[in-house]
Amino acid sequence: MKKILVPTDFSKLSEDALAFAIEVAQKYEATITLVTSLHYDFYPEIHNAAIVTSTLLKKVEESSKEQMNQLIARYHVSGVSIDEYISDETLITILNEKITHEAYDLVIMGTSGSSGIDEFLEGSNTEKVVRKAACPVISISGKTVLDEIKRVMIPIDIDDIRMSFLQEVASMEALFNVQLDFVWVRTVHNIENEEEISRETTKLIQSLGIKAFTFHIVRSVSPSVGILRYVEEENIDMIAMATHARKGIAHWLLGSLTEDTVNHVKVPVWSFKMDSDEKRIDLDSVEPIMEVSSYTKIEMPVD
């Protein structure tokens, strides 16, 4: 953990993200790059303008530079090296270029979430970063203190376990020195034997050298409901999840459990984008179910 990216729109929430990033950087002797995008999709003053002129763009850029300098000056006493980067590219383009070409390890950003029609049409900026960023992302929804993160929930999809994600979780355990709660949310669609799932999953986790963990099975109407209930009832401090980074119609129709959680949960969410081409780990206790389509078209008489 040497280089951290922190997107900012100069809001209170993004400053909370910076404060948390500084705690992480202090603990692991990392550097921080503050990033802001002048793209209309990220910057409210441009996004809400009726007409975007060169004068407006210049004004916004000058204002951004001034606010960046003020922000860095405020946190100079932290002892952490903080630099800045301003671009008119989209935020995810900026981040992925930095991650790919300059080897950044982590993105930390604030999220206010989304709701209603805004969520359906756009989602949150954080949700877009979670879906597309090429390194782990920690999203926070308010003031977060590193030393107060003691328990991390790891939701497990027994049909879609990837080794890269478990390895990232193992690294996170060592990095943050936390207790991990691995949780499988069982719904009415699951027929697997719970004892066999528990035994096999526990053995897999132990094989990666993870020691400070427990494994739990939660019964719920849906994975998202089960996750949110577990977080509330068990006083979880952070969630760590993988995202599939679905694109196009698949994302519109199916969405992502990770992105949905980021938009609605109140604790920090650590997310990792899985490689869609990576082979899944097949558990012996998980049996594929052959389903017959239940779709039936019924013609109704018209008077």
Side-chain angles (χ1 to χ4, degrees), residues 238-265:
M238 185 165 75
I239 303 173
M241 304 179 70
T243 181
H244 292 81
R246 291 190 178 101
K247 298 179 181 179
I249 193 67
H251 180 261
W252 182 67
L253 289 174
L254 302 175
S256 163
L257 180 59
T258 304
E259 297 152 31
D260 187 57
T261 301
V262 164
N263 276 339
H264 297 99
V265 80

Side-chain angles (χ1 to χ4, degrees), residues 14-257:
S14 62
E15 189 162 346
D16 287 338
L18 174 59
F20 179 71
I22 286 173
E23 288 188 49
V24 176
Q26 287 173 329
K27 188 169 184 177
Y28 302 106
E29 298 182 352
T31 61
I32 292 174
T33 297
L34 269 174
V35 172
T36 197
S37 169
L38 302 182
H39 192 270
Y40 71 88
D41 197 35
F42 181 73
Y43 208 96
E45 190 170 345
I46 298 176
H47 183 81
N48 296 328
I51 301 176
V52 179
T53 63
S54 58
T55 303
L56 174 61
L57 289 174
K58 184 177 180 180
K59 175 186 174 184
V60 169
E61 184 176 4
E62 290 175 350
S63 174
S64 295
K65 287 181 178 178
E66 182 179 352
Q67 291 181 87
M68 278 284 202
N69 291 334
Q70 292 174 353
L71 198 54
I72 292 172
R74 272 203 304 277
Y75 288 93
H76 178 72
V77 294
S78 68
V80 174
S81 174
I82 306 174
D83 61 9
E84 66 181 69
Y85 186 79
I86 300 173
S87 171
D88 59 3
E89 296 280 0
T90 64
L91 181 60
I92 191 59
T93 299
I94 297 170
L95 295 178
N96 274 340
E97 285 180 354
K98 288 281 187 183
I99 294 165
T100 303
H101 300 298
E102 300 179 38
Y104 280 83
D105 306 294
L106 180 67
V107 175
I108 298 177
M109 67 185 298
T111 176
S112 57
S114 300
S115 60
I117 192 66
D118 289 338
E119 178 174 13
F120 180 75
L121 294 175
E122 299 181 287
S124 66
N125 275 298
T126 308
E127 176 265 337
K128 296 172 188 176
V129 173
V130 165
R131 176 158 36 98
K132 297 180 180 180
C135 77
V137 177
I138 295 179
S139 55
I140 67 172
S141 58
K143 182 174 175 57
T144 304
V145 178
L146 180 61
D147 288 341
E148 293 179 359
I149 298 177
K150 303 296 184 184
R151 290 180 66 189
V152 179
M153 177 190 184
I154 319 290
I156 289 289
D157 180 353
I158 60 173
D159 294 307
D160 194 15
I161 300 175
R162 314 287 178 107
M163 182 57 70
S164 61
F165 174 65
L166 293 179
Q167 290 171 338
E168 285 288 339
V169 169
S171 299
M172 183 191 64
E173 179 208 21
L175 192 65
F176 290 105
N177 190 28
V178 290
Q179 165 73 33
L180 303 180
D181 287 31
F182 287 86
V183 178
W184 171 43
V185 180
R186 179 175 184 172
T187 69
V188 294
H189 303 291
N190 297 113
I191 62 170
E192 290 81 4
N193 182 285
E194 293 182 352
E195 290 185 5
E196 291 179 1
I197 289 291
S198 179
R199 182 165 51 249
E200 193 173 0
T201 305
T202 297
K203 185 177 179 180
L204 174 62
I205 295 168
Q206 289 173 331
S207 71
L208 293 168
I210 299 174
K211 297 179 180 179
F213 79 93
T214 55
F215 179 74
H216 307 270
I217 296 175
V218 173
R219 297 173 183 172
S220 182
V221 294
S222 71
S224 57
V225 171
I227 289 169
L228 297 178
R229 285 289 299 274
Y230 190 90
V231 168
E232 293 174 359
E233 294 181 5
E234 297 296 326
N235 295 316
I236 294 297
D237 303 309
M238 185 165 75
I239 303 173
M241 304 179 70
T243 181
H244 292 81
R246 291 190 178 101
K247 298 179 181 179
I249 193 67
H251 180 261
W252 182 67
L253 289 174
L254 302 175
S256 163
L257 180 59

